[in-house]
Each structure stands twice: as structure tokens, then as C-alpha cells.
Amino acid sequence: MAKDLKEIKDIEEIKELGWDELLPGAALFSFREPVEDVAEIPMEERPYAPTNSHEWQVGDWRVEKPVYNRDYCIDCQFCWVFCPDMSILSRDKKMIGVVYEHCKGCGICVEVCPTNPKSLLMFPEHMDNQEALAMWPKKEEKK
Amino acid sequence: MVKKIKNLKEFSLSNDRFEGANLMCPGCAHNIIVREVLNATDDPIIVATATGCLEVCTAVYPKTSWDVSWLHIGFENAAVAAATISAAYEVMKKKGKLPPATQKMVDEGREPKIVAFAGDGGTYDIGFQSLSGAFERGHNFMYVCLDNEVYANTGGQRSSSTPIGASTTTSPAGSVSYGEKMMKKSMVEIMADHGAPYVAQVSPSKWKDLVKKVQKGFEVNGPVYINAQSACTTEWKHAPEDTIEVSDLGVDSCVWPLYEIINERDEHGIIYSTKLNITYRPKKKIPVEEYLAAQPRFRHLFKPENRHIIDLWQKAVDARWEYLQKREEAGV
């Protein structure tokens, strides 16, 4: 029995549906309600619909994850501008952290980080973040 | 309204209108370009996307990664879709039939921006006739070509953007061949010759240059063509974390020069002035060999029997850089 989008309340329910189980012509919207000016609303306050990919996750693609160390960060925002997956959270010109649901583990943020030692480093996915922070490398002397 | 972006910190205040958890490859430059283009303005944006990696991976049933109005159309007609949106918008505006929310923004001086995204396959080959037609008619929209020099979505076939010596699935390198035999088509000049008011070449690694050119393009009345270098981890075969480095190597070796062409036309459409500006000059021009060495799709060129192709590359890049500088100097 084909379903109308209006009947679906829970995101989990859509994940179980096959491609032919939604009513033909059912429009899949980005938001639950009309939003007038998306550019003015930060991500946390947007009324995302379950059909927006923001509500899904690709974190299980990763083998290694970037870990963020606030102590060395200079808020240059290189990681923010070059992140292909909108996974670097930056608010009020300050870097806050990594969105692990959307990060695919490409490692660009670590490559472009200019600090010494880097304030973003790749660690194995299974490692605890606190454990990773404890084994952070020391400043490298220039030879 | 032009968004004020003085530095990267200011730019980072932008609220992304392109969402994560899309299915693009890790480290894909397409995403970086799309983000930089969408964040270049706070005005409403209407996007038309041709078939290609970007469309296939950002609109997988039952989800979408777009927070802006988005239209998917065939492989060949992203330019026409954008042109018709632009024409429809002009008519609705003239008749006063815009939706109230849009009308309010237009009154505030925030006109909607219409952008078409397409890959190099949808631009250089398949979409060329519709792109050429839309530019000839002079609709008011921006066309961004995400140029990864190969049909990456369908398994890496050569396109007319693939440069000489690259190994692709339809031009494989082996004992009898060094890979692709043809030089790359110079699309930027072709589009400039349509008389478009603004045409530019950009790279995602030089974000400020890209944003500036996109903002300039939004301000111009008429069709705008932006050719964006898009390093492809899958088909250029470099590691995902090297995307920005490879892009930088391309720019610094002048394989991918950053420049813009501005055409000025009178009311009859006659071009009375053409200007070419080089917007980025590498402090030290690095040899092309370094750019090629960073990408395993050119690995076979380093065999002794294929070395002459590297020399050919260097010659071609030097000649082109010389040509651009001469044009800039002469102001044509």
C-alpha cells in the first residue's frame, strides 16, 4: 500500500520504505514547514524534514576520524571552508567541533590545519576522543 | 545585495544551504565549490543541476541535500533550465505575480540568483548546444562547470575536457598507448566569444578568488560562465586528503590559471571592449611535472618511453600562460 508523506512522522519509518512505497508524485521537502529565509537561520534552528539528508548520517563510512584539540586552535577557519561535508561546526568566528554524523573521514581538515602541532589529527575510529587528546604530539622544532 | 566578505572569519558566519550526509565521495571538490558558491551570497538562490555526480549523490531517494530551490533536469539542458527559470522570473516580476515572501526580498534589493551546476561532461560535450543557445539569447543566470576532466559518475570515460596523457577507462594507458591523445578544449575562451559579460576560471583552493568572481558574476546582467577546477579523488586517483594540495599544484604550475574575461557591449549587442585579467600569479611557477606526479592517472607518463608527453605538457602550459599574459597586457 503506497503511503502519503503526511502519514510519516518518524524518520526511521522512511528508511524502511522501498522506492515504490511512497505515493507517486509525493514531494520530498527539505523542511517540515515553509521557511522564508534559509540563509538567516543557523543549522541548529532549522525545522528539518526527515527527507533532508541532514537528518541522516554517513559516519559509518569512516575508518579514521578527525579529533579536534581546542588548545592549539587559532580559529583560522581553513578547515571550515575546505570541509566538503559541512562537518566543521563554526559559530561566531570560533571553531567548535566536528559533526561526526556527516564526516566521511577524508582528512582534508587535518591537511589544511596550519598550527604546530596540528589542532586536528586523524585517529582510529574506535578510539575514545579523550584518549586521543592525551596522546597529542608535542610542538615540532624547525630544523 | 553584495555580501561583505572581508576575510575567512567573516565568511565562516555563513549558514550553509547545502547539507551533509550527501553521498559524494570523501574529499570531493564538487562539494567545496558548491558550498563556496552558495555561501557567496545571502540572497535566495535557485539551482538547476544537470545529471552528473552532483545530482546523483545529492538527491538519492528519499532525501535531498538542498535547502535552496532545486531543479534536476537532463544531462544536456542545465543551461536551458536555468535560462527558463530566469525568463519566468522576469515575467512574474514584471506582472507583479511573485510570491509575497520573494517580493519582500526583491523590495529589499535581494534579487534571487539563478545558478546552473553541471560537470564537464554536461558542459564541454553533451550540454554544449543548449549552453551555447542560452548564452546567445543572453539570459540572466550563472553557469558553473565543475570540471573534473572525466565522466566520473559513469565510471571514468574520457570527455573533451580530459587533458593529454590521462589514463581513463576509454583511453587506457598500456603498452601501446600513453592514454588520452587529445588536448583539452579551452572552454573559457569559447564562452567568452559568445559575448558573455563575465567569464572566469576558478579553483576551490583559492576560496577568496572564487567568492569574489562569483559575487562579480551575480552583479552582472547577462549570462555568466564560471569554470571551476574540481579535483576528483576517484578518477584522478589521489588520496582524499590531497584534494586541496592537488588543486594548489594545478594553480601554481599554471596548468589551471586563474583569470577572468570581461566583455562590454553596447545596446545593439556589439562588443566594444574585451578585457582579460589574470587574478592570481604564482610567486614561483612550479614545473608541471609536480602536478602530474601528484595524480596516479598520469603515473605511466614517468616511464622513459612516455617522457616526451611531459615535455609536451610543459610546452603547452608555458605557451598558454604566455598567451594569457600577452592578452592581459594588450587589454584584449
Side-chain angles (χ1 to χ4, degrees):
Chain A
M1 186 55 200
K3 278 194 164 182
D4 194 351
L5 190 68
K6 283 176 195 153
E7 299 166 29
I8 293 162
K9 299 239 157 48
D10 191 18
I11 178 176
E12 299 305 320
E13 205 177 323
I14 277 198
K15 284 182 180 170
E16 299 301 317
L17 288 181
W19 63 271
D20 56 346
E21 287 178 75
L22 263 183
L23 269 186
L28 302 174
F29 290 105
S30 308
F31 301 112
R32 284 174 194 277
E33 53 201 66
V35 176
E36 276 186 12
D37 204 348
V38 191
E40 299 292 319
I41 310 172
M43 270 182 185
E44 305 85 59
E45 291 165 25
R46 291 180 187 167
Y48 286 118
T51 44
N52 193 313
S53 72
H54 184 270
E55 299 294 299
W56 298 56
Q57 63 105 9
V58 286
D60 49 1
W61 292 19
R62 278 194 312 264
V63 226
E64 283 187 320
K65 62 178 174 184
V67 177
Y68 172 57
N69 192 335
R70 179 70 243 180
D71 296 350
Y72 301 108
C73 183
I74 53 168
D75 293 311
C76 67
Q77 308 293 354
F78 281 160
C79 53
W80 176 84
V81 73
F82 293 133
C83 175
D85 292 297
M86 290 52 82
S87 299
I88 302 291
L89 263 187
S90 209
R91 292 291 175 270
D92 298 327
K93 304 186 183 178
K94 292 263 182 291
M95 152 85 172
I96 310 176
V98 181
V99 185
Y100 284 118
E101 286 81 15
H102 296 167
C103 171
K104 294 166 187 161
C106 64
I108 288 180
C109 51
V110 174
E111 280 297 306
V112 298
C113 185
T115 60
N116 181 11
K118 284 184 185 290
S119 25
L120 277 155
L121 280 175
M122 298 304 272
F123 285 95
E125 181 64 31
H126 57 78
M127 197 187 268
D128 188 61
N129 274 15
Q130 292 305 326
E131 199 183 322
L133 287 174
M135 52 193 287
W136 211 267
K138 292 276 167 292
K139 186 175 174 178
E140 255 177 60
E141 293 301 326
K142 271 192 187 155
K143 277 165 206 163
Chain B
M1 208 164 20
V2 185
K3 184 171 168 181
K4 280 202 189 84
I5 301 168
K6 255 193 264 152
N7 49 39
L8 193 45
K9 284 196 179 188
E10 229 164 77
F11 192 39
S12 78
L13 295 173
S14 316
N15 294 313
D16 277 302
R17 282 178 281 181
F18 182 60
E19 293 297 343
N22 54 53
L23 304 185
M24 307 290 280
C25 302
C28 178
H30 275 31
N31 286 10
I32 307 175
I33 299 164
V34 170
R35 278 191 69 197
E36 287 172 2
V37 170
L38 296 191
N39 283 338
T41 178
D42 276 341
D43 298 349
I45 303 181
I46 304 165
V47 175
T49 310
T51 303
C53 287
L54 183 69
E55 175 270 319
V56 173
C57 298
T58 56
V60 183
Y61 175 87
K63 54 192 190 233
T64 171
S65 301
W66 298 89
D67 295 345
V68 292
S69 304
W70 183 77
L71 174 71
H72 164 230
I73 196 137
F75 214 138
E76 66 287 355
N77 45 13
V80 173
T84 25
I85 293 169
S86 163
Y89 167 73
E90 296 294 339
V91 170
M92 285 168 81
K93 192 175 143 192
K94 211 166 132 195
K95 290 190 177 172
K97 284 189 177 170
L98 290 175
T102 317
Q103 186 64 51
K104 201 180 124 209
M105 285 192 203
V106 174
D107 293 342
E108 288 167 4
R110 298 174 61 190
E111 294 253 351
K113 308 288 184 274
I114 296 147
V115 184
F117 285 111
D120 59 295
T123 304
Y124 285 66
D125 305 341
I126 304 174
F128 186 67
Q129 58 87 8
S130 66
L131 174 65
S132 180
F135 269 60
E136 182 264 325
R137 291 189 300 275
H139 294 283
N140 188 14
F141 73 104
M142 176 182 287
Y143 190 97
V144 181
C145 171
L146 306 162
D147 190 352
N148 56 11
E149 306 184 331
V150 73
Y151 283 89
N153 179 37
T154 48
Q157 291 84 3
R158 59 121 5 213
S159 76
S160 59
S161 165
T162 309
I164 190 166
S167 177
T168 69
T169 47
T170 47
S171 64
S175 53
V176 291
S177 168
Y178 55 78
E180 171 68 19
K181 298 277 190 297
M182 303 294 166
M183 290 286 185
K184 190 182 164 93
K185 201 149 103 178
S186 52
M187 197 65 181
V188 178
E189 277 79 11
I190 295 173
M191 295 324 290
D193 284 349
H194 279 72
Y198 189 74
V199 173
Q201 183 151 276
V202 299
S203 166
S205 63
K206 302 283 176 245
W207 69 269
K208 201 168 186 177
D209 179 77
L210 190 152
V211 168
K212 246 191 207 163
K213 284 173 178 165
V214 169
Q215 287 188 330
K216 241 188 215 178
F218 281 148
E219 288 309 299
V220 159
N221 189 23
V224 171
Y225 179 79
I226 305 275
N227 206 36
Q229 174 197 38
S230 183
C232 177
T233 65
T234 308
E235 297 303 336
W236 295 15
K237 302 186 171 65
H238 58 77
E241 67 265 27
D242 292 339
T243 302
I244 297 299
E245 200 195 325
V246 169
S247 310
D248 266 339
L249 285 174
V251 173
D252 285 334
S253 60
C254 297
V255 170
W256 197 269
L258 304 182
Y259 62 103
E260 57 185 12
I261 300 174
I262 302 164
N263 286 322
E264 283 178 43
R265 306 171 85 166
D266 65 5
E267 69 272 25
H268 307 292
I270 301 165
I271 303 170
Y272 60 84
S273 140
T274 302
K275 241 191 199 143
L276 185 147
N277 302 324
I278 298 173
T279 53
Y280 176 81
R281 271 168 219 282
K283 280 195 191 92
K284 191 179 163 275
K285 193 164 163 261
I286 58 170
V288 173
E289 208 172 317
E290 284 183 37
Y291 172 70
L292 301 178
Q295 305 165 50
R297 67 171 169 159
F298 293 118
R299 189 189 285 144
H300 53 278
L301 295 184
F302 291 85
K303 286 183 191 160
E305 67 266 29
N306 291 332
R307 274 270 166 188
H308 65 284
I309 300 298
I310 297 183
D311 299 338
L312 194 72
W313 254 94
Q314 187 67 55
K315 229 191 243 171
V317 168
D318 287 347
R320 195 166 157 66
W321 184 238
E322 193 70 18
Y323 163 80
L324 290 175
Q325 280 176 316
K326 268 187 198 158
R327 267 191 75 170
E328 187 189 35
E329 215 169 289
V332 290

